[in-house]
Structures are given as C-alpha cells and as structure tokens.
Amino acid sequence: MTQTSERSTTMSNLLAEDLARAHLAARLQQAESQRRGHQLAAARRLSRKAERAAAQARLALARVI
C-alpha cells in the first residue's frame, strides 16, 4: 500500500511539474509575441515620422528653388 501511494505522489508531482512547465512556456510565448507587436508598432511610428520629415524636406527644397 505504501509503495502505491508513493507512486501516486510521485506521479502527481511529475504532472504538476509538467503543467508548470507548460504554463511557463505559454507565458514566454505570449510575452515574445507582445514584444514583437510592440517592436512592429514602434517601427511603423518611426517610418511615418521619417516620411513626414522627408515630405517637409521636399517642401523646403521646393520653396528654395
């Protein structure tokens, strides 16, 4: 009987560890996905800012000519 309960406890512990690893992997994946999303949004903002600066430079050049 003791051996059976030890096996049951060991299996429960292993299942809990596997579940914890799965949760950790899922949270890491979610964090990485959010990081990529933030990087993409920042890149888009910088791109729009650069486009506006280029347009202003073209207008300034046109005024000079």
Side-chain angles (χ1 to χ4, degrees), residues 6-25:
E6 284 178 21
R7 279 190 203 151
S8 179
T9 301
T10 301
M11 285 299 282
S12 292
N13 288 342
L14 290 174
L15 288 172
E17 287 176 17
D18 285 346
L19 184 60
R21 274 191 217 95
H23 272 93
L24 179 60

Side-chain angles (χ1 to χ4, degrees), residues 6-63:
E6 284 178 21
R7 279 190 203 151
S8 179
T9 301
T10 301
M11 285 299 282
S12 292
N13 288 342
L14 290 174
L15 288 172
E17 287 176 17
D18 285 346
L19 184 60
R21 274 191 217 95
H23 272 93
L24 179 60
R27 292 185 73 178
L28 286 172
Q29 185 178 10
Q30 182 182 18
E32 179 66 21
S33 177
Q34 286 179 344
R35 187 182 66 80
R36 281 193 302 263
H38 288 297
Q39 285 179 335
L40 180 59
R44 286 181 177 157
R45 280 192 302 272
L46 287 174
S47 176
R48 286 192 299 268
K49 186 176 180 179
E51 288 172 8
R52 283 192 303 270
Q56 287 177 351
R58 283 192 300 272
L59 281 173
L61 182 62
R63 288 183 189 129

